[in-house]
């Protein structure tokens, strides 16, 4: 048996069934084969491969693999891996390295220090040097990927290692000795911390619950809902935690971030937190961009999480309850009385406003982006999946899309990388073949991965892609406008691209819509085709109404 086959069979033994990527000069030395048990998806760009592995890990909780060749292949894939470490996705990144006898970092053709390069953006980075590394390092690496805050691990494999012969007896010995690693369960919470938290809850008048993505990873949505109902406490969440509580629930207010005022065209954030005297942060992750600066640093906070996510001086909760979240919530429910008043007067108003999910005013001459999000939500229903690229549209999608189930809104929340939308949708469809999957993208971000339209066609992944086209980096244009009356056009303005024709050039059907009334019908027609489909919509954003609020 060749070493490459032993390597791949080891990964299959550990639960890996998918690999996304591009093979380079090492093609002579590694053979991805369905017969071995790993399905290989050839992408047009290594970044796409990284994002597909990232999103696959989010849906399944099990790490899958992205692969690249050495040198520029790995540097291309690195942004996808960065997405995995920042957005907490279990995944395996692997690449070839040139033969060991030729390695001189930065001097030999396409040779960089793979392990050192990947170390800052992975939980573990190492090179496989011999057969024993397969038995010792791969299982521990996969366990590392799923433990605590999940994330990517990286393996570098020199081409000469991949070519080595392994005896059948030695290969069998290694494979038979492997055990599938299991995630380490959170420890029991400390009772003294819970008692202090219960006292703080009991002394509060208007507590608010803030949900982070760890709630989804621990699959404790029901326990969080019951705890909120016991307290009659209003609920908000980060964009990464949308769907942890159905947004139609009577206690749910909104997903929240710093763009909330701008999307709703009025200063709602101050009212959202005005009467709140205690924030109970469940599964909270500071990186999810729902920061203490939003509610003010003068309010008491309790963090209830599986393990510590240290943020140093940036954020220190008053009480940190670490350990099994389900046990913590059960304990607190027994000691915390039900609050009589569900909502303060300000929250009663905000509940009505947020439930409408639309901006108050749409300026003449600009596009009704909230209307687009409403149409998309109606099309997807409760179980359809919306994958958002990064840009101005992401804030509308994240704050206005109706999400009733976990993992039905997928975005690059902490990493925030252009080009995320299309590969995320491809991975979402692979994980959920029976569900409607739609990617919403701005033209700036979309053109970062538009070459993988052909990948969607080649694998016949029936996703719908909506491209909102304004020939600009819209979110950057917004930021530029915050401090300048006349933004520098050359920093944000792009040339016109006819994306519906680009889709056709890649073998994909498309539509161009300049009247939003046509969108529901086109979405239904595209869905009936059961093949990938692109819809281009020219848009004009309202920067003036946004820039004076956030």
């Amino acid at each position: 048996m060749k070493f490459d086959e032993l390597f791949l069979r080891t990964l299959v033994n550990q639960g890996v069934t998918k690999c996304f990527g591009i093979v380079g000069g090492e093609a002579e030395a590694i053979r991805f084969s369905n017969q071995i048990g790993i399905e290989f998806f050839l992408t047009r760009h290594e970044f796409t491969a990284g994002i597909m592995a990232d999103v696959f890990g989010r849906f399944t909780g099990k790490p899958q693999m992205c692969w690249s060749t050495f040198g520029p292949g790995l540097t291309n894939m690195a942004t996808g891996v960065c997405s995995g470490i920042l957005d907490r996705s279990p995944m395996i990144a692997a690449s070839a390295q040139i033969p060991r006898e030729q390695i001189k970092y930065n001097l030999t053709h396409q040779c960089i220090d793979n392990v050192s390069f990947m170390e800052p953006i992975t939980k573990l980075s190492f090179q496989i040097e011999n057969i024993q590394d397969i038995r010792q390092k791969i299982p521990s690496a996969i366990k590392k990927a799923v433990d605590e805050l999940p994330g990517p691990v990286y393996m570098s494999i020199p081409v000469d290692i991949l070519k080595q012969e392994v005896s059948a007896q030695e290969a069998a010995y290694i494979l038979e000795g492997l055990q599938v690693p299991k995630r380490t369960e959170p420890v029991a919470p400390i009772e003294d911390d819970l008692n202090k938290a219960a006292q703080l809850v009991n002394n509060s008048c208007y507590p608010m619950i803030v949900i982070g993505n760890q709630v989804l990873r621990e699959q404790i949505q029901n326990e969080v809902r019951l705890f909120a109902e016991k307290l009659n406490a209003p609920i908000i969440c980060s964009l990464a935690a949308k769907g942890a509580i159905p947004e139609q629930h009577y206690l749910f207010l909104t997903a929240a971030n710093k763009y909330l005022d701008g999307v709703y065209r009025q200063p709602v954030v101050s009212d959202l937190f005005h009467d709140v005297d205690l924030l109970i942060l469940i599964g909270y992750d500071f990186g999810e961009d729902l920061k203490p600066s939003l509610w003010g640093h003068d309010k008491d906070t309790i963090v209830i999480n599986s393990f510590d996510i240290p943020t140093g001086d940036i954020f220190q909760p008053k009480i940190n309850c670490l350990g099994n979240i389900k046990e913590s919530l059960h304990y607190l429910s027994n000691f915390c009385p039900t609050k009589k008043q569900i909502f303060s007067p300000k929250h009663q108003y905000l509940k009505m406003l947020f439930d409408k999910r639309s901006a108050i005013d749409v300026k003449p001459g600009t596009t009704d982006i909230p209307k687009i999000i409403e149409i998309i939500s109606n099309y997807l229903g409760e179980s359809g999946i919306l994958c958002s690229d990064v840009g101005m549209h992401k804030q509308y999608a994240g704050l206005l899309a109706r999400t009733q189930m976990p993992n039905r809104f997928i975005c690059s929340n902490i990493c925030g990388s252009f080009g995320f939308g299309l590969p995320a949708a491809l991975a979402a469809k692979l994980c959920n073949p029976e569900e409607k999957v739609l990617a919403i993208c701005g033209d700036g971000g979309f053109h970062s991965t538009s070459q993988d339209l052909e990948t969607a066609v080649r694998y016949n992944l029936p996703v719908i892609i909506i491209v909102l086209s304004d020939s600009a980096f819209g979110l950057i244009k917004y930021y530029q406008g915050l401090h300048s009356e006349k933004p520098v056009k050359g920093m944000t303005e792009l040339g016109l691209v006819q994306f519906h024709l680009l889709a056709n050039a890649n073998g994909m059907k498309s539509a161009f819509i300049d009247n939003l009334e046509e969108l529901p019908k086109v979405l239904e027609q595209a869905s009936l085709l059961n093949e990938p489909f692109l819809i281009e919509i020219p848009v004009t954003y309202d920067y003036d109404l946004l820039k004076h609020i956030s």
Side-chain angles (χ1 to χ4, degrees):
M1 180 185 295
K2 285 284 180 63
F3 191 98
D4 68 315
E5 182 178 346
L6 176 60
F7 168 69
L8 294 176
R9 289 193 182 280
T10 300
L11 291 175
V12 171
N13 176 284
Q14 302 291 284
V16 178
T17 61
K18 302 284 190 296
C19 180
F20 312 94
I22 301 176
V23 180
E26 73 282 1
E28 61 169 328
I30 189 164
R31 300 152 297 168
F32 290 97
S33 168
N34 289 345
Q35 292 178 345
I36 291 176
I38 294 183
E39 188 176 8
F40 183 77
F41 292 85
L42 175 64
T43 61
R44 284 276 183 166
H45 197 280
E46 295 90 347
F47 169 74
T48 294
I51 295 300
M52 291 184 73
D54 162 6
V55 172
F56 212 101
R58 296 192 204 188
F59 275 103
T60 65
K62 299 177 181 179
Q64 301 300 310
M65 183 163 65
C66 53
W67 176 274
S68 78
T69 191
F70 27 73
L74 180 59
T75 59
N76 282 346
M77 191 169 71
T79 306
V81 178
C82 180
S83 178
I85 194 71
L86 290 175
D87 280 296
R88 325 308 188 198
S89 304
M91 57 188 285
I92 300 164
S95 76
Q97 177 58 287
I98 69 169
R100 287 174 295 175
E101 70 273 10
Q102 300 175 20
I103 291 176
K104 287 291 182 182
Y105 299 138
N106 303 333
L107 296 175
T108 312
H109 180 66
Q110 293 189 324
C111 179
I112 63 172
D113 186 348
N114 292 355
V115 173
S116 296
F117 175 70
M118 296 297 286
E119 188 172 12
I121 56 170
T122 56
K123 295 182 71 176
L124 180 67
S125 179
F126 64 96
Q127 183 157 291
I128 292 177
E129 298 280 0
N130 53 54
I131 293 173
Q132 290 309 312
D133 283 349
I134 284 191
R135 185 174 187 181
Q136 295 169 3
K137 291 185 177 181
I138 290 180
S140 62
I142 292 176
K143 181 173 176 57
K144 187 81 170 178
V146 299
D147 266 352
E148 295 191 344
L149 268 184
V153 295
Y154 170 71
M155 309 178 203
S156 172
I157 313 178
V159 171
D160 59 303
I161 294 286
L162 288 170
K163 292 180 177 180
Q164 287 182 357
E165 288 285 347
V166 182
S167 70
Q169 182 179 0
E170 192 169 14
Y173 171 74
I174 289 173
L175 292 172
E176 289 170 4
L178 292 171
Q179 293 185 351
V180 178
K182 294 182 179 180
R183 174 177 173 267
T184 303
E185 293 298 322
V187 299
I190 298 172
E191 190 170 320
D192 186 51
D193 292 335
L194 293 174
N195 288 333
K196 292 176 182 176
Q199 184 176 0
L200 206 56
V201 174
N202 292 340
N203 292 337
S204 67
C205 295
Y206 289 109
M208 172 181 278
I209 291 174
V210 181
I211 298 176
N213 191 248
Q214 188 65 21
V215 168
L216 299 183
R217 287 191 287 267
E218 300 284 356
Q219 298 184 1
I220 52 168
Q221 304 91 277
N222 191 53
E223 285 77 13
V224 173
R225 177 184 59 80
L226 292 172
F227 179 65
E229 291 171 353
K230 174 69 185 294
L231 296 186
N232 266 335
I235 303 166
I236 66 171
C237 69
S238 69
L239 298 193
K242 279 173 67 71
I245 297 295
E247 295 184 6
Q248 62 192 8
H249 191 278
Y250 69 92
L251 289 173
F252 185 81
L253 287 176
T254 183
N257 63 15
K258 64 182 179 180
Y259 299 97
L260 199 60
D261 286 352
V263 165
Y264 279 93
R265 305 298 196 269
Q266 57 180 300
V268 294
V269 170
S270 58
D271 285 348
L272 183 61
F273 296 106
H274 182 272
D275 295 321
V276 174
D277 57 359
L278 175 66
L279 289 117
I280 306 170
L281 312 170
I282 306 176
Y284 176 73
D285 187 338
F286 183 87
E288 290 173 20
D289 212 23
L290 210 174
K291 299 174 183 174
S293 57
L294 212 62
W295 58 74
H297 295 275
D298 58 333
K299 298 184 186 297
D300 287 338
T301 53
I302 299 171
V303 165
I304 303 173
N305 214 340
S306 306
F307 42 81
D308 193 20
I309 305 177
T311 52
D313 295 336
I314 298 174
F315 170 59
Q316 286 292 333
K318 189 177 182 81
I319 299 174
N320 216 1
C321 297
L322 303 178
N324 188 293
I325 299 177
K326 186 183 295 188
E327 292 180 21
S328 294
L329 295 178
H330 286 166
Y331 188 96
L332 291 174
S333 293
N334 290 330
F335 287 91
C336 297
T338 302
K339 303 291 181 180
K340 294 181 179 179
Q341 187 169 351
I342 298 179
F343 289 143
S344 69
K346 290 183 184 295
H347 283 165
Q348 291 175 19
Y349 165 74
L350 289 177
K351 175 65 174 171
M352 291 187 293
L353 176 68
F354 292 142
D355 282 353
K356 291 179 181 178
R357 296 298 171 90
S358 62
I360 299 300
D361 297 305
V362 176
K363 185 178 179 181
T366 64
T367 304
D368 192 344
I369 306 295
K371 182 66 175 177
I372 294 174
I373 304 304
E374 180 184 8
I375 293 170
I376 290 171
S377 292
N378 289 339
Y379 164 74
L380 291 173
E382 289 194 1
S383 62
I385 300 165
L386 176 58
C387 299
S388 177
D389 210 312
V390 171
M392 183 69 78
H393 68 281
K394 171 190 161 185
Q395 312 312 328
Y396 288 91
L399 297 173
L400 298 180
R402 295 188 298 275
T403 310
Q404 312 300 349
M405 295 171 58
N407 289 325
R408 279 346 188 223
F409 179 80
I410 305 295
C411 69
S412 183
N413 189 47
I414 308 179
C415 183
S417 178
F418 275 163
F420 176 87
L422 174 58
L426 300 183
K429 191 64 179 180
L430 284 172
C431 293
N432 305 272
E434 303 304 318
E435 298 294 346
K436 295 177 179 177
V437 176
L438 186 148
I440 183 168
C441 311
D443 54 353
F446 175 71
H447 218 13
S448 299
T449 47
S450 58
Q451 67 274 358
D452 277 289
L453 287 170
E454 188 275 332
T455 303
V457 173
R458 183 164 18 100
Y459 289 104
N460 192 27
L461 296 173
V463 299
I464 294 177
I465 306 127
I466 291 182
V467 180
L468 305 181
S469 179
D470 66 340
S471 298
F473 287 121
L475 187 60
I476 311 305
K477 192 173 180 179
Y478 156 67
Y479 276 123
Q480 196 179 37
L482 286 176
H483 303 292
S484 172
E485 291 299 321
K486 294 182 178 180
V488 181
K489 290 186 176 181
M491 293 175 64
T492 57
E493 303 288 335
L494 303 168
L496 177 66
V497 177
Q498 294 178 300
F499 289 98
H500 61 293
L501 299 182
L502 179 66
N504 298 159
N506 282 274
M508 184 182 296
K509 292 186 175 68
S510 68
F512 181 90
I513 294 176
D514 56 10
N515 179 357
L516 295 186
E517 299 302 321
E518 301 173 9
L519 183 55
K521 182 179 178 180
V522 172
L523 283 171
E524 291 302 331
Q525 290 173 339
S527 182
L528 290 173
L529 290 173
N530 197 35
E531 61 186 65
F533 194 93
L534 184 142
I535 302 170
E536 182 178 357
I537 306 174
V539 298
T540 301
Y541 287 105
D542 180 2
Y543 297 104
D544 291 337
L545 286 178
L546 288 171
K547 70 179 182 179
H548 300 299
I549 296 176
S550 294

